[in-house]
Amino acid sequence: MSLKSLTLSLQFAREAASHRAVLPRHAVARWIRHALDLDAEITVRVVGADEGRRLNRDFRGKDYPTNVLTFDYARAPLVAADLVLCAPVVEREAAELRRPLAAHYAHLLVHGALHAQGWDHETGEADAEAMEARETAVLAGLGFADPYFTR
């Protein structure tokens, strides 16, 4: 498998700086590149609850912070997108799922990268199953367990 080219900007809001150690640039780039079907320019921003809530409210009309938001600007010939991850939500979910924080971040980055390429789990059951299968395959290739397997 030939990995696609990725230009990555990795940003941490002050409120999320403690997650920098869990998200080294090389790991984030590796996780995203394995999900890409095209070359990409992606900015990943890890934010606190207030910024996550504001973005989710302003762009999706949902007044709560969510784990990952994908802002896709172009899909071909180059994927251009911003992925915003809300550190406190990701941390809480990882604890609830009893998964390592890095594994949950890897899943959400793969999930967001797939959204940036047009994958959508909210358009029907078949699309959701296809996206979950793709996420599971990508993550398995990276050495992570099936994120949809419940213990």
Side-chain angles (χ1 to χ4, degrees):
M1 173 179 83
S2 174
L3 294 179
K4 299 301 177 183
S5 169
L6 172 65
T7 301
L8 174 67
S9 174
L10 181 57
Q11 305 170 357
F12 292 86
R14 187 170 301 132
E15 301 82 9
S18 64
H19 285 219
R20 188 180 299 272
V22 177
L23 294 168
R25 180 181 179 74
H26 71 277
V28 171
R30 180 172 179 258
W31 300 337
I32 291 172
R33 286 184 71 211
H34 276 78
L36 294 175
D37 292 321
L38 296 168
D39 294 339
E41 293 178 355
I42 295 178
T43 295
V44 172
R45 181 162 171 78
V46 184
V47 301
D50 290 342
E51 186 174 349
R53 180 180 184 174
R54 182 179 49 77
L55 289 168
N56 201 27
R57 182 189 61 230
D58 292 353
F59 291 96
R60 294 181 64 229
K62 299 182 182 207
D63 195 17
Y64 56 86
T66 190
N67 52 17
V68 61
L69 293 167
T70 301
F71 298 94
D72 59 325
Y73 308 113
R75 293 187 181 149
L78 179 78
V79 174
D82 293 338
L83 305 179
V84 179
L85 294 106
C86 185
V89 173
V90 176
E91 188 169 15
R92 178 182 41 96
E93 289 177 348
E96 289 170 357
L97 294 166
R98 296 183 178 165
R99 294 203 171 103
L101 185 56
H104 195 46
Y105 267 117
H107 175 214
L108 294 173
L109 287 163
V110 166
H111 183 88
L114 291 178
H115 270 306
Q117 296 172 93
W119 292 77
D120 194 341
H121 55 87
E122 295 181 350
T123 52
E125 190 172 328
D127 290 340
E129 289 174 4
M131 187 168 176
E132 286 179 13
R134 174 66 193 249
E135 290 172 35
T136 299
V138 169
L139 290 164
L142 291 165
F144 292 105
D146 180 347
Y148 295 103
F149 176 77
T150 54
R151 302 170 206 207

